[in-house]
Amino acid sequence: MVRSIGGAVAVLAGVLCPAATLLRSPYLQDVGSNQATILWVTREAGNGQVEFSADGVTWHVAVAESRLLPSHSDLTRYQYRADLRGLLPGKTYSYRVVVDEKVLRDNLRFRTAESGPFTFLVFGDSGTGSEAQAAVARRLFDERDVALVLHTGDISQDDGSLDRMEAHYFSVYAPLMSRVPFFPTLGNHDYGTDLAAPYLNVHVLPASDTPIADLGRYYSFDWGDVHFVSLDSNLLVSAAATRRMLEWLERDLQRTRSFWKLAFFHHPPFPSGHHLEDGLSAEVRAQVLPILERHGVQVVFSGHEHAYQRSKLLRHGQPVSSGGGIVCLITGGGGAALHPVGSIPQL
C-alpha cells in the first residue's frame, strides 16, 4: 500500500511483510449440521482467521487460535484452529483462510451435515508414501458428493511422528481434506511416537462425553440418521483404559436414537490372514462385539489387515441367515503392502 504525504511517498511497513509460509493446507474437522472446525499450519506465528459465506455475498469471520506444535524435528510449526458456529444444515459454505490480513487459501468449500441419504468413504492402513497410496488417493479424489471420510487407523505406517503424518497423511489427502471432514481411529503404528501425541495434536474430534483422560482416542457423532462410534482398540491392553472405554460405549449406545449404528476401530474382530492370531482382535471379539450386538450396531469397519474382507451376517460370532446381526468389514488397503486373505467360517 502506497500513500502520498506532502509530496513524498510513504510505504506502509506492515504491507511489506511477506505472507506466512503455509506448511499444512486447511482441512476440516468435526463437521456437523451447525458447526465445523478448520485447521492449518504455518512456519511463522501470526493472527489467523477464517472468512466464510453461504451465499458469496455476506461473509462472516471466525478468529483462529494458534499454538506452537511440539515436534521432534527442527521445523517450527504453528497450528491454527478456527471454530465455525451457528451454521445451517445441508448448506455449502465457501471459505478462505487468512493470516495477518493475507489470504493463504481461497475458493474452498464444504457442506454441513443434513438429514437424508449420504455417501461416505472408508479406508485405512494408508501411511506409507508409496505409489500404491497415491493411486488409492487419486481414486478417492474422483468420488463426488462425499459427505465424510472414515479412516480405520495406521495413518502413519511407520512411527506415528508429526513429520510422517505431514508427509503421508496431510500432504497426500489435502485436496479431499479441504472439502470433506476426516473422522479417524487410532492404529497400532499411530502409537509409535509419544503414545499417539502427534495424532491427538493435529485432530479436533467430537468430545462426545469422552472421559478427559481419553479425549480424542474414542468418540461418537451423528450424521443424518447414522450414529458413528470410533473406538481405540489399542486401549484393550490396559484393564483401566478398557473399563473406561467400554463403560462410555454402553452409555453412548444407550443414548442414541438413530436407526443406523456403525462402529469403526483398527483391530478387526475376525481377521483371516496376517493377523489371524492377533491378541487385540481376540479382545475385540470378547469385550467389544457383545456390547455392539446388544445395542443393535449393524456394521463394523476395521483395518490392520491390508486387504478388503467382508463377513457374513454374524450373531454371537457365528453366521446367521436372517434377523439381527453385525456385518464386519476390513478395509485396510489404503496404500500399505497387501496381505493375503485366508478362509474362516465368518467370511
Side-chain angles (χ1 to χ4, degrees), residues 231 236 246 249 265 283-292:
L231 300 177
L236 296 172
L246 297 187
L249 179 62
F265 41 83
E283 292 299 322
V284 168
R285 289 195 300 275
Q287 301 198 63
V288 176
L289 275 193
I291 298 174
L292 301 182

Side-chain angles (χ1 to χ4, degrees), residues 125-161:
D125 298 273
S126 60
T128 61
S130 66
E131 174 52 35
Q133 182 186 7
V136 173
R138 289 192 292 269
R139 294 292 298 274
L140 297 175
F141 300 157
D142 289 340
E143 295 292 332
R144 311 313 301 173
D145 299 322
V146 172
L148 58 97
V149 175
L150 306 183
H151 196 293
T152 57
D154 281 358
I155 286 171
S156 167
Q157 197 66 33
D158 300 291
D159 57 8
S161 68

Side-chain angles (χ1 to χ4, degrees), residues 82-328:
D83 296 321
L84 284 55
R85 297 293 181 258
L87 306 181
L88 298 174
K91 283 285 187 180
T92 297
Y93 285 85
S94 300
Y95 73 98
R96 52 184 172 245
V97 297
V98 179
V99 173
D100 293 337
E101 301 184 355
K102 296 178 177 64
V103 176
L104 301 188
R105 283 289 187 274
D106 202 353
N107 299 316
L108 303 172
R109 290 175 178 79
F110 72 91
R111 188 173 181 83
T112 51
E114 61 185 319
S115 60
F118 62 93
T119 300
F120 63 96
L121 302 175
V122 191
F123 72 101
D125 298 273
S126 60
T128 61
S130 66
E131 174 52 35
Q133 182 186 7
V136 173
R138 289 192 292 269
R139 294 292 298 274
L140 297 175
F141 300 157
D142 289 340
E143 295 292 332
R144 311 313 301 173
D145 299 322
V146 172
L148 58 97
V149 175
L150 306 183
H151 196 293
T152 57
D154 281 358
I155 286 171
S156 167
Q157 197 66 33
D158 300 291
D159 57 8
S161 68
L162 183 57
D163 285 344
R164 295 289 190 182
M165 294 185 69
E166 300 285 12
H168 299 162
Y169 182 49
F170 292 111
S171 294
V172 176
Y173 305 111
L176 188 59
M177 299 180 90
S178 69
R179 61 182 174 90
V180 177
F182 273 49
F183 292 93
T185 192
L186 275 156
N188 54 298
H189 289 290
D190 300 318
Y191 265 86
T193 298
D194 300 334
L195 296 178
Y199 170 102
L200 297 173
N201 284 332
V202 301
H203 289 107
V204 177
L205 302 171
S208 317
D209 198 31
T210 306
I212 293 176
D214 301 325
L215 278 175
R217 298 186 190 274
Y218 49 91
Y219 58 93
S220 67
F221 65 98
D222 293 321
W223 197 291
D225 197 25
V226 182
H227 184 68
F228 293 91
V229 179
S230 173
L231 300 177
D232 183 357
S233 51
N234 300 278
L235 295 181
L236 296 172
V237 299
S238 163
T242 297
R243 182 174 62 254
R244 289 196 307 270
M245 182 170 66
L246 297 187
E247 289 175 351
W248 170 87
L249 179 62
E250 289 273 12
R251 294 193 304 271
D252 181 82
L253 291 175
Q254 285 171 356
R255 284 194 297 260
T256 184
R257 295 297 177 263
S258 297
F259 176 81
W260 289 103
K261 293 175 277 291
L262 279 66
F264 63 107
F265 41 83
H266 187 61
H267 296 85
F270 300 103
S272 72
H274 192 70
H275 296 287
L276 185 61
E277 304 299 328
D278 192 290
L280 285 177
S281 288
E283 292 299 322
V284 168
R285 289 195 300 275
Q287 301 198 63
V288 176
L289 275 193
I291 298 174
L292 301 182
E293 187 171 292
R294 185 162 62 250
H295 290 283
V297 171
Q298 299 103 329
V299 181
V300 166
F301 292 107
S302 301
H304 203 39
E305 295 225 317
H306 304 169
Y308 172 79
Q309 301 173 41
R310 176 178 175 142
S311 79
K312 300 170 183 174
L313 183 67
L314 303 176
R315 193 180 308 133
H316 306 306
Q318 298 302 315
V320 293
S321 57
S322 62
I326 296 177
V327 174
C328 299

